[in-house]
Amino acid sequence: QVQLEESGGGLVQAGGSLRLSCAAPGRAFSNSAMGWFRQAPGKEREFVATISGYGWDTRLSDSVSGRFTISRDNAKNTVYLQMNSLKPEDTAVYYCAAARRAGATTSENEYDYWGQGTQVTVSS
């Protein structure tokens, strides 16, 4: 039962930073594209960022581009989401997911394995 586990969420003030981590056991998903998605209260889950299996290619949503960075450390089998200049509208539950392909993808339906989510709250 391979699972992804997010960590690093919390409460920060606007303009602050957080780094989210997503760990997979052993070498699970080591060559898979990984993604971050988020879901705010009353809203649909939305794409945030993705990175290819080997970390060569990344994509970011327009709403976070220039503020967030996705990266991965394949030696640790961990993907990160560095979030800077946080805004109240970034408040959401953030989910890490693994795709069934190696190439970076923004399509939620290409991700088959999901973490439980970690809460990020940004106050004014």
Side-chain angles (χ1 to χ4, degrees):
Q1 297 193 13
V2 178
Q3 292 193 133
L4 299 169
E5 185 169 8
E6 305 95 334
S7 61
L11 174 64
V12 297
Q13 289 189 285
S17 298
L18 284 174
R19 189 181 74 163
L20 306 184
S21 298
C22 174
R27 300 305 300 163
F29 314 120
S30 61
N31 300 133
S32 300
M34 303 294 294
W36 287 97
F37 296 79
R38 66 187 183 187
Q39 187 167 25
K43 296 184 178 180
E44 297 290 327
R45 187 164 55 200
E46 66 176 355
F47 166 77
V48 176
T50 183
I51 187 168
S52 62
Y54 293 98
W56 298 335
D57 187 31
T58 62
R59 302 282 189 272
L60 297 168
S61 70
D62 290 343
S63 62
V64 306
S65 180
R67 299 187 297 119
F68 291 11
T69 302
I70 186 171
S71 62
R72 70 192 300 162
D73 184 342
N74 283 359
K76 298 180 179 179
N77 211 24
T78 301
V79 63
Y80 304 96
L81 185 68
Q82 179 66 47
M83 306 185 295
N84 298 326
S85 302
L86 283 162
K87 304 174 181 179
E89 50 263 46
D90 294 318
T91 295
V93 176
Y94 283 70
Y95 297 91
C96 176
R100 54 182 178 270
R101 56 180 278 178
T105 176
T106 64
S107 299
E108 182 176 332
N109 62 10
E110 294 199 68
Y111 291 85
D112 286 347
Y113 307 94
W114 295 79
Q116 81 289 342
T118 185
Q119 177 71 47
V120 172
T121 303
V122 185
S123 62
S124 299

